[in-house]
């Protein structure tokens, strides 16, 4: 996943550059600038873009630092980022559009659409020799369980049993490549469910996922900087990935080699900008419509925000590869659930979002949230590994707290 390291980073002082365009809808937007600039000045992040909106207007936008540490290109609001799992929200919207049309059903077996989901097995454990023990699932995988991450699919990055199973499967070709870690609906685990949802969208719509996104979400909303491929002009605006070394410093990586994909993932692999993604969030904050364009009905947007997993715990993940991800617990002590497409905090976050807010993130430390009770949505983008990097999260929290202070003072 990582590219070879480039030459050693230049002094941190070279990153003390900022381009900020706060919209004076918030009287104290200068405090937000200062909070973000301080994180760049401290060397915690090489560059950051943050934006916030209400249902009508962009409230704040700011860009600070550099696209690549040690280089000269300043971070700008229109910088292109790899947003990884934040594509899952687009995939969810696509699937729910098809639910509204009656072409997909939330609670029918998904294998009726995609036969690849028909013969799944559940990992019941390992015998004394370490051989995986498989059994049929007690419930069928449904679109609802896929969208809420209760399907049984789990990522190896946060599930040691998946790592162990895949190791066994590599040495035994008789074992299926993919299995469920539990019966659908019995647990929550973050995994590749949205890849399967993306495939359902392709089968039902008859077009590739990138085409579906473009025709039904991206172009209608004017999200012209979002896609699985980028142009040379967009690549010239792309931020570099940075890797956190053991001593806390950051090492910039070369831009990834970009080739046009033949297959498209509903769970990752997409590019976007903060303004583009904020447009999607604003549409959802408005009940599914923006500027006369409707992508979802208000009742469907409401359904996305409902707790879809009951009393199952969600959101806390233990890493199997600290180079790629830290342990994930964004809101220690806060009860977390999952809706259709978002994580939900059942309790308010001190100094920030209200209870019932919606959120998720991308592997390279890009984040969003929708606080319906406050009428706010926001996005913050960085390009750092590992995921849930402590200093990147501190910048994220600093932005959130400063935003709510400014809002309360407005």
């Amino acid at each position: 996943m990582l590219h070879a390291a480039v030459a050693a980073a230049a002094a941190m002082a070279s990153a003390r550059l900022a381009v900020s365009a706060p919209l004076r809808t918030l009287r104290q937007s200068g405090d937000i600038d200062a909070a973000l600039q301080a994180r760049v000045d401290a060397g915690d992040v090489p560059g950051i873009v943050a934006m916030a909106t209400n249902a009508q207007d962009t409230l704040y936008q700011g860009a600070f630092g550099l696209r690549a540490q040690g280089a000269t290109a300043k971070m700008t609001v229109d910088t292109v980022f790899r947003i990884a799992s934040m594509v899952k929200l687009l995939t969810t919207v696509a699937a729910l559009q098809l639910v509204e049309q009656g072409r997909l059903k939330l609670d029918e077996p998904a294998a009726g659409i995609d036969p690849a989901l028909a013969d799944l097995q559940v990992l019941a454990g390992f015998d004394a020799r370490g051989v995986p023990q498989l059994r049929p699932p007690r419930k069928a995988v449904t679109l609802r369980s896929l969208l809420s991450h209760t399907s049984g699919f789990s990522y190896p990055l946060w599930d040691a049993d998946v790592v162990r199973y895949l190791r066994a499967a590599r040495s035994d070709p008789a074992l299926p490549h993919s299995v469920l870690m539990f019966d659908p609906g019995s647990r929550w685990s973050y995994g590749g469910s949205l890849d399967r949802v993306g495939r359902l969208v392709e089968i039902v719509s008859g077009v590739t996922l990138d085409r579906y996104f473009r025709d039904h979400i991206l172009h209608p909303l004017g999200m012209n900087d979002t896609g699985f491929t980028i142009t040379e002009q967009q690549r010239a605006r792309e931020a570099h990935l940075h890797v956190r070394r053991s001593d806390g410093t950051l090492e910039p990586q070369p831009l990834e080699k970009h080739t046009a994909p033949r297959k498209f993932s509903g769970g990752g692999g997409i590019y976007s900008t903060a303004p583009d993604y904020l447009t999607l969030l604003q549409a959802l904050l408005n009940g599914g419509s923006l500027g006369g364009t409707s992508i979802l009905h208000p009742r469907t947007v409401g359904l996305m925000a409902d707790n879809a997993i009951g009393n199952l715990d969600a959101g806390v993940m233990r890493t199997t590869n600290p180079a790629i991800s830290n342990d994930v617990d964004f809101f220690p002590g806060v009860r977390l659930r999952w809706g259709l497409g978002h994580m939900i905090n059942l309790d308010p976050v001190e100094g920030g979002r209200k209870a019932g807010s919606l959120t998720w993130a991308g592997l390279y430390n890009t984040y969003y949230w929708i606080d319906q009770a406050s009428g706010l949505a926001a996005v913050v983008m960085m390009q750092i590994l590992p995921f849930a990097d402590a200093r990147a999260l501190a910048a994220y929290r600093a932005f959130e707290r400063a935003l709510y202070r400014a809002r309360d003072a407005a």
Side-chain angles (χ1 to χ4, degrees):
M1 179 177 291
L2 301 181
H3 300 282
V6 296
M12 287 292 180
S14 66
R16 296 187 181 187
L17 299 168
V19 177
S20 174
L23 304 184
R24 297 302 170 186
T25 310
L26 295 177
R27 291 202 308 268
Q28 295 188 13
S29 59
D31 293 345
I32 307 175
D33 293 352
L36 296 174
Q37 183 67 58
R39 295 295 169 173
V40 173
D41 290 347
D44 292 342
V45 298
I48 186 168
V49 177
M51 294 187 68
T53 188
N54 59 23
Q56 293 80 36
D57 301 298
T58 300
L59 299 178
Y60 176 84
Q61 61 183 30
F64 302 85
L66 301 169
R67 290 176 179 161
Q69 186 170 283
T72 59
K74 297 179 182 180
M75 196 68 87
T76 56
V77 171
D78 65 349
T79 295
V80 174
F81 293 85
R82 286 187 283 171
I83 64 168
S85 285
M86 281 168 59
V87 73
K88 289 179 169 69
L89 182 54
L90 286 163
T91 305
T92 299
V93 169
L96 292 176
Q97 287 178 337
L98 295 170
V99 169
E100 289 182 344
Q101 298 167 24
R103 301 165 72 185
L104 282 176
K105 305 290 185 182
L106 280 170
D107 297 307
E108 291 184 359
I113 302 294
D114 184 2
L117 300 173
D119 298 316
L120 294 169
Q121 296 286 297
V122 173
L123 177 66
F126 300 88
D127 68 12
R129 297 173 298 159
V131 176
Q133 304 298 295
L134 304 180
R135 62 167 174 81
R138 297 188 177 98
K139 289 184 178 180
V141 170
T142 65
L143 177 59
R144 188 186 299 274
S145 68
L146 291 167
L147 292 175
S148 61
H149 291 286
T150 58
S151 63
F153 290 112
S154 190
Y155 280 137
L157 182 54
W158 297 285
D159 194 324
D161 284 339
V162 180
V163 175
R164 187 178 180 187
Y165 177 80
L166 292 175
R167 188 180 301 120
R170 283 194 293 270
S171 60
D172 184 355
L175 290 171
H177 175 70
S178 179
V179 296
L180 302 179
M181 293 295 107
F182 50 85
D183 288 303
S186 65
R187 282 172 44 196
W188 180 91
S189 185
Y190 187 59
S193 293
L194 272 292
D195 291 300
R196 277 74 180 186
V197 175
R199 183 63 189 136
L200 294 176
V201 170
E202 290 185 328
I203 292 170
V204 168
S205 68
V207 298
T208 59
L209 193 61
D210 69 324
R211 175 68 180 272
Y212 187 93
F213 284 173
R214 185 171 69 247
D215 291 349
H216 299 281
I217 305 172
L218 303 178
H219 279 188
L221 291 178
M223 297 171 61
N224 298 320
D225 275 329
T226 303
F228 290 100
T229 60
I230 55 176
T231 65
E232 288 302 314
Q233 291 80 7
Q234 290 166 327
R235 190 171 178 82
R237 291 187 272 122
E238 186 181 354
H240 287 244
L241 176 65
H242 295 74
V243 176
R244 184 79 65 189
R245 300 188 188 101
S246 59
D247 64 0
T249 59
L250 288 164
E251 186 170 14
Q253 307 295 301
L255 291 178
E256 74 285 4
K257 183 179 180 182
H258 184 60
T259 57
R262 295 182 179 181
K263 293 184 178 180
F264 304 94
S265 168
I270 204 166
Y271 298 84
S272 191
T273 63
D276 262 26
Y277 208 85
L278 196 75
T279 298
L280 174 64
L281 301 182
Q282 190 179 39
L284 295 176
L285 193 60
N286 270 292
S289 298
L290 188 64
T293 295
S294 175
I295 57 169
L296 285 175
H297 296 149
R299 64 178 178 274
T300 304
V301 176
L303 181 64
M304 295 172 71
D306 290 341
N307 175 13
I309 67 172
N311 290 323
L312 299 176
D313 290 326
V316 177
M317 308 182 305
R318 304 304 177 194
T319 186
T320 64
N321 188 343
I324 305 301
S325 176
N326 290 331
D327 289 343
V328 178
D329 187 359
F330 295 141
F331 310 104
V334 172
R335 294 172 299 157
L336 301 174
R337 298 294 184 265
W338 207 270
L340 302 184
H342 317 272
M343 188 168 74
I344 306 169
N345 56 287
L346 298 186
D347 307 308
V349 174
E350 185 177 358
R353 68 196 71 182
K354 304 288 189 181
S357 296
L358 315 171
T359 189
W360 198 232
L363 184 68
Y364 307 113
N365 286 281
T366 58
Y367 301 91
Y368 77 87
W369 79 93
I370 303 172
D371 180 348
Q372 298 158 307
S374 297
L376 285 176
V379 63
V380 55
M381 293 190 176
M382 297 161 279
Q383 292 285 265
I384 297 171
L385 278 178
F387 180 55
D389 174 71
R391 299 189 192 187
L393 286 177
Y396 174 22
R397 291 287 166 258
F399 170 55
E400 180 175 352
R401 290 190 297 268
L403 175 64
Y404 280 83
R405 286 196 302 269
R407 173 189 175 273
D408 291 343

